[in-house]
């Protein structure tokens, strides 16, 4: 079978690796294989099924919890270690935002959280001792190092049977793919283009997010920390080597312009209000990206002709990707069996027709 995966962002890389265990796969990406413009490259890669339950459906929470069980298995098979941690997260509020913390706790659909006092916060994160008098601890949450994940997946792709077509913009029409002006037929196409699939998925929209990546040698936070904020929840996600991703704005806009001064000021001052050590941090990146989102902000995996579309991961790409890839593989196997049995049925039908014709000929 000839298979194509289009888009080498978060979903495309994960899927190409899985498919390549059993099939020859062509992987197309409009930028380089690094995919440093993809949402998955810019993301903070928090795995937050509990905190996100405030704004998500039960389906997202369920798929997110399932993905949390799949990530360790996926990471184990990679050529080098990727930082992954599941030691919970903290939600904090300054005194003036106490009410927001309380209302946030009431809106959590997932109930595995506990209120923590100033002393418990100090036990969990000694460097912010005394700064906060109330918070929530979400023990099952985690995060991973998405940059290291991309590198490890790329290595695995290069070492496998996957043929990579980088810097190749692709259009998909039925089971024909047009790449650099050439039309190529595939048995199955997996559309993992994120927001790039908008020409085909009309209801898809981009939700702008901005993040800062900093190097903060004076900060040693050990788990993701969210801060109640009047406009959007701001989080600080620790990465290896004292790097932190501070994010993220959420703006209903498809602008891919650089980060605005207002957003940068809000993100960085919120981080400073959590830990003064951020004052001396070096800003490594200020990035903006578009989260591919469907009207209900839920992910979808579906079949259209011979194309399997995976999209709508919104702000939950890392939280959901393993479960979504699993669903796509199940759909692919089912569709294959179906088309195989349909094919056998047609062959069988023809054989009977041929047999009957032979009988007729014999009678005549
Ligand atoms: C600021 C920000 C913070 C985030 N933080 C988190 C977080 O903490 N936790 C979490 O779970 N999720 C987070 N997300 C969401 C997550 O990043 C996305 O949901 C996820 O990356 C979507 O994966 P994808 O593979 O569908 O799209 P992408 O990762 O965007 O990949 C799509 C790829 O397809 C390529 N492509 C597009 N069109 C074409 C074409 N025509 N031809 C060839 N190639 C094409 C693109 O170049 C890109 O490489 C965040 C997102 C943003 C923007």
């Amino acid at each position: 079978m000839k298979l194509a995966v289009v888009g080498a962002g978060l979903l495309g890389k994960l899927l190409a690796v899985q498919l390549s265990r059993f099939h020859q796969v062509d992987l197309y990406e409009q930028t380089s294989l690094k995919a440093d413009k993809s949402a998955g490259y810019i993301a903070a890669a928090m795995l937050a099924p509990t905190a996100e339950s405030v704004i998500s459906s039960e389906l997202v929470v369920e798929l997110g919890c399932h993905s949390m069980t799949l990530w360790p298995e996926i990471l184990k098979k990679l050529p080098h270690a990727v930082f992954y941690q599941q030691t919970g997260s903290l939600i904090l509020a300054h005194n003036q935002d106490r009410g927001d913390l309380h209302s946030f706790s009431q809106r959590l659909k997932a109930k595995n959280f506990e209120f923590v006092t100033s002393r418990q916060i100090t036990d969990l994160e000694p460097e912010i001792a005394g700064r906060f008098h109330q918070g929530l601890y979400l023990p099952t949450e985690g995060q991973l190092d998405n940059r290291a994940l991309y590198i490890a997946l790329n290595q695995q792709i290069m070492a496998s049977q996957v043929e990579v077509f980088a810097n190749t913009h692709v259009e998909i029409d039925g089971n024909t793919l047009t790449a650099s002006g050439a039309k190529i037929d595939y048995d199955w196409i997996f559309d993992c283009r994120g927001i790039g699939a908008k020409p085909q998925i009309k209801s898809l929209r981009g939700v702008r997010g901005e993040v800062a990546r900093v190097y903060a040698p004076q900060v040693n936070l050990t788990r993701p920390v969210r801060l109640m904020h009047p406009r959007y929840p701001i989080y600080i996600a620790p990465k290896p080597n004292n790097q932190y991703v501070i994010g993220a704005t959420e703006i209903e806009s498809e602008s891919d312009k650089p980060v605005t001064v207002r957003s940068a000021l809000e993100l960085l001052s919120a981080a400073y209000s959590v830990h003064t050590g951020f004052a001396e941090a070096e800003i490594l990146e200020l990035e903006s990206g578009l989260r591919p989102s469907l009207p209900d902000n839920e992910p979808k995996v579906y079949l259209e002709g011979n194309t399997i579309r995976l999209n709508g991961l919104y702000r939950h790409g890392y939280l959901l990707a393993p479960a979504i890839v699993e669903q796509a593989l199940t759909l692919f196997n089912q569709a294959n069996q179906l088309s195989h049995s349909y094919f056998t049925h047609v062959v069988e039908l023809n054989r009977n027709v041929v047999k009957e014709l032979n009988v007729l000929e014999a009678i005549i």
Side-chain angles (χ1 to χ4, degrees), residues 6-12 28-32 35-48 150 168-171 192-197 207-211 235 248-249 287-292 310-320:
V6 184
L10 173 60
L11 284 174
Y28 292 88
E29 168 56 45
Q30 67 183 0
T31 65
S32 71
D36 56 1
K37 298 282 172 261
S38 68
Y41 187 85
I42 292 156
M46 304 243 293
L47 307 169
Y150 263 38
T168 308
H169 180 87
V170 164
E171 274 153 35
C192 301
R193 289 176 295 168
I195 194 64
V207 177
R208 180 177 159 91
E210 296 151 303
V211 286
Y235 52 73
T249 59
E287 283 285 0
S288 66
L290 295 180
R291 306 173 177 99
L310 299 74
N311 219 311
L313 268 61
Y314 177 46
R315 50 185 285 142
H316 306 128
Y318 284 88
L319 181 62
L320 301 178

Side-chain angles (χ1 to χ4, degrees), residues 223-237:
R223 54 177 57 74
V225 172
R226 279 182 196 238
L227 182 68
M228 285 292 116
H229 185 276
R231 292 208 307 134
Y232 26 71
I234 279 175
Y235 52 73
I236 303 168

Side-chain angles (χ1 to χ4, degrees), residues 80-325:
H80 63 76
V82 169
F83 167 77
Y84 167 87
Q85 159 178 304
Q86 202 179 345
T87 53
S89 63
L90 264 177
I91 313 230
L92 302 173
H94 290 296
N95 267 344
Q96 68 272 20
D97 301 321
R98 268 198 314 268
D100 289 339
L101 184 74
H102 193 64
S103 118
F104 186 86
S105 72
Q106 287 178 326
R107 285 180 288 128
L108 284 167
K109 292 188 194 76
K111 296 297 172 205
N112 48 347
F113 67 91
E114 55 187 271
F115 278 95
V116 281
T117 60
S118 175
R119 174 182 287 234
Q120 288 165 308
I121 295 169
T122 304
D123 288 344
L124 289 163
E125 295 297 340
E127 288 197 355
I128 50 174
R131 295 185 78 81
F132 295 92
H133 301 293
Q134 58 275 309
L136 297 172
Y137 177 54
L138 284 42
T140 57
E141 301 210 320
Q143 89 270 32
L144 58 79
D145 180 356
N146 52 331
R147 298 288 168 87
L149 175 74
Y150 263 38
I151 292 170
L153 286 170
N154 286 348
Q155 280 176 2
Q156 210 169 10
I157 286 166
M158 297 312 283
S160 71
Q161 297 296 314
V162 177
E163 186 152 359
V164 177
F165 298 87
N167 304 308
T168 308
H169 180 87
V170 164
E171 274 153 35
I172 304 171
D173 183 15
N175 60 340
T176 304
L177 178 155
T178 309
S180 313
K183 286 191 187 307
I184 311 163
D185 283 337
Y186 282 93
D187 294 304
W188 293 99
I189 298 171
F190 294 84
D191 182 357
C192 301
R193 289 176 295 168
I195 194 64
K198 206 170 166 173
Q200 270 75 43
I201 309 175
K202 298 283 179 238
S203 59
L204 197 63
R205 74 187 198 287
V207 177
R208 180 177 159 91
E210 296 151 303
V211 286
R213 190 173 272 260
V214 302
Y215 168 58
Q218 294 181 16
V219 179
N220 294 288
L221 294 175
T222 63
R223 54 177 57 74
V225 172
R226 279 182 196 238
L227 182 68
M228 285 292 116
H229 185 276
R231 292 208 307 134
Y232 26 71
I234 279 175
Y235 52 73
I236 303 168
K239 304 289 169 198
N241 307 319
N242 289 86
Q243 287 195 18
Y244 295 86
V245 176
I246 303 162
T249 59
E250 176 159 336
I251 302 164
E252 284 293 338
S253 156
E254 294 192 340
S255 161
D256 59 358
K257 289 195 178 142
V259 176
T260 61
V261 169
R262 176 162 74 174
S263 296
L265 284 172
E266 285 183 344
L267 293 173
L268 296 174
S269 56
Y272 174 68
S273 79
V274 171
H275 193 310
T276 50
F278 281 113
E280 296 303 322
E282 294 167 23
I283 299 173
L284 302 175
E285 290 172 20
L286 282 169
E287 283 285 0
S288 66
L290 295 180
R291 306 173 177 99
S293 314
L294 290 164
D296 55 6
N297 292 338
E298 288 199 0
K300 297 271 177 304
V301 178
Y302 61 99
L303 196 66
E304 216 174 79
N306 277 17
T307 299
I308 294 179
R309 297 197 198 278
L310 299 74
N311 219 311
L313 268 61
Y314 177 46
R315 50 185 285 142
H316 306 128
Y318 284 88
L319 181 62
L320 301 178
I324 294 303
V325 166

